[in-house]
Amino acid sequence: MDTEVRKIQKKCLEILDIVDGICHKYGIKYSLCGGSVVGAYLHNACLPWDDDIDLMMTRDNYNCFIQVAKSELPEGFSIHNYQTGTDFDTPFTKIMNDHTTIVQQDGCVSGVFLDITVYDRIPTNFLASMSTFLWKVSQVVMIGKVEPTNLQQRLRNLMLSTVFRSKRLYLKFFQLVVELSSKSSSKYTYSELFGAYANTTRFAPEIFENYVMVRFEEREYMIVRDMYEYLHTRYNRTDFREPKEKQFAPHYQYVNFELPYKEYLSKSKRE
């Protein structure tokens, strides 16, 4: 019998098949990402406790996907990020099954989703420091206001109420600067400036410029050719197996495979 986590994985695999089809149609390169790469590397499948599937793309591929996804996604599936709508302002992209509901540990409500993170080219000259500074500002903007207990936190809240009052506008500005600076140098690395996690780890260009197909969940999907080097750089270790205490579903507190998430939200407001 399928566990609830396994049912989530199957819904995520349905979304992955859709994204994979769009990418093949338009010649867009992508790779499994994060824990999904660990699963591919160790088991050629999702990690048994992993309750989502993650993908990653370089900026050019990501922008191309964003441009075509809305018209290519079938009925009942939708794309969300700070560029495409007003209901989710994540710095990365979520592809959702609109006919389902998942409530994450932080209380965020959506359909069962697949995340797509963009990796940008970061020059190894002085512009790298500027990108890192803007990334640090983005972390403040995304977290938002805090309970003020000192002058620094009051100033932070003031800036968030004035200069940085719109997450979307700041992220669009940040994206523009990063894209312009990426063209300034022939020496560069790749970094997850717009990701779900707070890190600016630098990846060697070779990692994101070579791809292969890998067997994953009895299907073939695209992945960075050097899985080991990607994982080694991302996690800064050589053994990617998690100890027992970390083998748990990290994201959700409630899931319903029959209830559209917008209906769940509407019902919650009435109650």
Side-chain angles (χ1 to χ4, degrees):
M1 181 180 295
D2 284 348
T3 64
E4 194 165 67
V5 170
R6 184 56 184 163
K7 290 177 181 177
I8 294 174
Q9 290 176 354
K10 288 185 174 181
K11 289 293 184 183
C12 290
L13 285 165
E14 291 176 7
I15 303 173
L16 177 55
D17 282 338
I18 292 168
V19 172
D20 175 72
I22 294 171
C23 289
H24 278 288
K25 179 177 179 178
Y26 288 93
I28 297 169
K29 293 180 180 178
Y30 73 88
S31 172
L32 296 172
C33 177
S36 298
V37 180
V38 177
Y41 184 74
L42 296 177
H43 310 295
N44 292 112
C46 297
L47 294 170
W49 59 89
D50 200 359
D51 58 4
D52 73 347
I53 292 177
D54 297 304
L55 298 184
M56 54 191 177
M57 299 176 182
T58 59
R59 175 62 68 178
D60 288 346
N61 287 290
Y62 184 86
N63 284 351
C64 182
F65 180 81
I66 297 299
Q67 289 173 5
V68 302
K70 191 170 184 179
S71 61
E72 290 289 343
L73 288 170
E75 188 279 329
F77 295 85
S78 55
I79 180 171
H80 304 267
N81 59 34
Y82 69 89
Q83 300 150 292
T84 59
T86 59
D87 50 351
F88 292 88
D89 54 11
T90 54
F92 51 94
T93 288
K94 286 184 177 291
I95 308 296
M96 291 184 195
N97 180 330
D98 298 332
H99 297 309
T100 61
T101 294
I102 190 165
V103 182
Q104 298 183 64
Q105 295 293 353
D106 62 3
C108 180
V109 178
S110 70
V112 174
F113 58 87
L114 176 150
D115 283 340
I116 306 176
T117 298
V118 58
Y119 276 76
D120 284 289
R121 281 174 51 157
I122 307 300
T124 53
N125 57 22
F126 74 96
L127 290 172
S129 298
M130 181 179 68
S131 296
T132 301
F133 170 75
L134 292 174
W135 172 81
K136 289 179 179 178
V137 175
S138 77
Q139 301 305 296
V140 174
V141 172
M142 293 307 298
I143 293 170
K145 295 180 181 179
V146 297
E147 187 65 32
T149 59
N150 55 46
L151 178 60
Q152 183 180 12
Q153 290 174 339
R154 291 193 192 94
L155 289 173
R156 168 199 170 111
N157 288 350
L158 177 63
M159 292 295 288
L160 289 170
S161 297
T162 54
V163 180
F164 302 121
R165 63 183 178 274
S166 171
K167 291 181 182 180
R168 294 180 188 279
L169 285 178
Y170 177 77
L171 289 171
K172 288 179 179 179
F173 162 74
F174 183 21
Q175 178 185 337
L176 177 62
V177 173
V178 170
E179 289 195 68
L180 288 174
S181 69
S182 71
K183 299 176 175 64
S184 67
S185 175
S186 59
K187 295 182 179 180
Y188 56 89
T189 56
Y190 283 92
S191 194
E192 186 186 0
L193 298 179
F194 292 80
Y197 302 100
N199 79 74
T200 52
T201 300
R202 303 292 179 84
F203 291 82
E206 294 78 14
I207 294 175
F208 283 92
E209 295 174 359
N210 296 283
Y211 299 84
V212 295
M213 301 300 292
V214 67
R215 195 75 172 162
F216 184 77
E217 293 285 350
E218 303 306 316
R219 301 167 174 87
E220 295 279 333
Y221 297 112
M222 200 175 294
I223 198 166
V224 289
R225 184 177 66 189
D226 196 338
M227 285 185 277
Y228 176 83
E229 190 59 34
Y230 163 78
L231 291 172
H232 184 208
T233 304
R234 181 181 176 110
Y235 296 110
N236 193 30
R237 62 180 196 255
T238 57
D239 182 1
F240 311 117
R241 294 172 177 80
E242 295 288 2
K244 287 288 186 183
E245 61 269 20
K246 290 188 177 182
Q247 295 181 12
F248 62 91
H251 293 103
Y252 79 100
Q253 56 176 288
Y254 169 80
V255 64
N256 188 316
F257 300 109
E258 309 298 330
L259 178 67
Y261 77 93
K262 290 184 179 179
E263 289 186 19
Y264 176 92
L265 286 170
S266 178
K267 181 180 178 182
S268 297
K269 288 180 182 177
R270 290 196 301 270
E271 294 175 349

